[in-house]
Amino acid sequence: MKRPNFVIVGFPKCGTTSLHYYLGDHPEIFMPKQKELHYFTAKILTSQNKGPGDNSVNQFHINSFQAYKQHFKVAQKKHKAIGDASPSYINYPEIIPDIKEKLGAEVKIIIVLRDPIRRSFSNYLQLVRENREKLSFFEALKAEEQRMKMGYSDFWYYKWNSLYAKKVEIFKKAFDEVYVMTNENLKQNPLESIQNLYKFLGVDATYKPQNLSKQYNPGGLYKQNLVTKLIFRQSGFRRFLKRYIPITPRMKSLKQDILKQFEKPKPEIDKQAEDFLVEYFKDDVKLLKSLIGLNIESWHSKLK
């Protein structure tokens, strides 16, 4: 039975969903129907269950290697690259030996980054959409350390999920082939960005994905009504759908078309929270640039 030979390890809210579907459109790449299997971090994530709705989310993590392998059983000989997109992996370097043991030391690693301030805010807005986050953004940033102590899921850790440098450094030292890209470049130069990734994966780099114009999980906020409640809020109905009906790219597109009818203007980050995060992230971004020399021209001007 085939197993992944590349892993997209993160970060959360950096476009890994879109990347999952773009790669899955390539005839030589296999991506499982369920994205974000989180097998290697399942035990860690399951123990973080004290935040509102955390137990519902944790139900979909894959807890056994046998179950994990089942997600790749239909991969065919034509698939030169087989992938697992689980952004949680980057945050827990202690799982690296297990990844190497189960998938092989030669597994390729893809790391997706995003302006850390925008990533943090996008993370916050998702929990607002799900009606789980009740605090203002600035109040939530200040509450993060207390939530960690209380055992909330790491998805509530808005700042921590945007600290990149040391985590990237650890993975680059642990694996021979590590590809680092930004969500911004994927959006601004989608074809060039995805074809460079094809080269890294060793598949036909001239292929043009049919779905490259689509943006999956665009974020933002929406009017509250029965439709948006069914789509966003953690519930028994939503868990049933997610468990028994695989989410296809077409279904994702249909969901976005429906949501556009209820879209609200995207909120801006308040000045207090923005200034706080600039100060919080500037040293990390400086270290990141020294490590990998990544182009971050589209990131916040005070972080460059």
Side-chain angles (χ1 to χ4, degrees), residues 6 8 16-33 78-79 81 83 194 198 201 207 209-211 216 249:
F6 77 91
I8 304 171
T16 54
T17 294
S18 293
L19 199 57
H20 174 99
Y21 291 120
Y22 297 158
L23 292 175
D25 185 74
H26 195 296
E28 295 177 339
I29 299 176
F30 177 84
M31 300 298 293
K33 289 183 178 180
K78 68 177 182 178
H79 295 125
I194 202 71
Y198 291 158
L201 294 175
Y207 182 78
Q210 302 302 303
N211 58 353
Y216 300 94

Side-chain angles (χ1 to χ4, degrees), residues 76-172:
Q76 303 171 17
K77 288 184 178 179
K78 68 177 182 178
H79 295 125
K80 298 179 181 178
I82 300 171
D84 169 6
S86 295
S88 65
Y89 296 166
I90 192 72
N91 284 319
Y92 300 97
E94 62 266 35
I95 69 169
I96 288 175
D98 199 23
I99 292 177
K100 287 186 170 183
E101 179 186 347
K102 301 285 177 51
L103 305 184
E106 69 282 358
V107 66
K108 296 182 178 182
I109 301 295
I110 299 169
I111 301 174
V112 192
L113 309 177
R114 181 183 182 184
D115 179 320
I117 296 176
R118 299 305 306 179
R119 195 227 64 81
S120 298
F121 192 51
S122 178
N123 195 159
Y124 166 79
L125 290 180
Q126 177 167 334
L127 290 179
V128 172
R129 286 196 301 273
E130 295 177 0
N131 200 35
R132 297 165 69 191
E133 178 61 85
K134 304 298 183 182
L135 300 179
S136 72
F137 186 40
F138 185 59
E139 290 172 337
L141 293 172
K142 293 190 295 181
E144 184 168 318
E145 285 71 25
Q146 182 60 29
R147 286 171 166 177
M148 287 182 172
K149 293 177 182 177
M150 293 171 65
Y152 275 45
S153 161
D154 68 8
F155 200 67
W156 296 84
Y157 309 166
Y158 308 134
K159 304 192 303 287
W160 181 76
N161 271 310
S162 287
L163 289 172
Y164 304 145
K166 292 182 179 178
K167 300 168 187 175
V168 170
E169 182 179 26
I170 290 171
F171 269 77
K172 282 182 69 66

Side-chain angles (χ1 to χ4, degrees), residues 220-238:
L221 291 179
Y222 301 83
K223 297 174 183 177
Q224 293 190 13
N225 54 44
L226 179 60
V227 174
T228 57
K229 181 179 180 180
L230 286 173
I231 289 175
F232 290 123
R233 295 188 184 183
Q234 298 298 329
S235 64
F237 177 72
R238 187 183 181 197

Side-chain angles (χ1 to χ4, degrees), residues 180-199:
V180 184
M181 61 187 294
T182 67
N183 173 260
E184 289 82 7
N185 192 49
L186 181 62
K187 287 183 176 181
Q188 294 166 7
N189 306 290
L191 184 59
E192 178 186 26
S193 184
I194 202 71
Q195 289 185 335
N196 284 337
L197 190 52
Y198 291 158
K199 293 176 185 176

Side-chain angles (χ1 to χ4, degrees), residues 48-92:
Q48 303 169 352
N49 57 11
K50 298 301 189 294
D54 284 349
N55 279 322
S56 295
V57 176
N58 288 339
Q59 288 186 21
F60 299 100
H61 301 153
I62 305 304
N63 292 298
S64 75
F65 190 49
Q66 187 60 37
Y68 180 70
K69 290 189 293 183
Q70 286 297 309
H71 285 272
F72 306 96
K73 67 178 182 180
V74 295
Q76 303 171 17
K77 288 184 178 179
K78 68 177 182 178
H79 295 125
K80 298 179 181 178
I82 300 171
D84 169 6
S86 295
S88 65
Y89 296 166
I90 192 72
N91 284 319
Y92 300 97

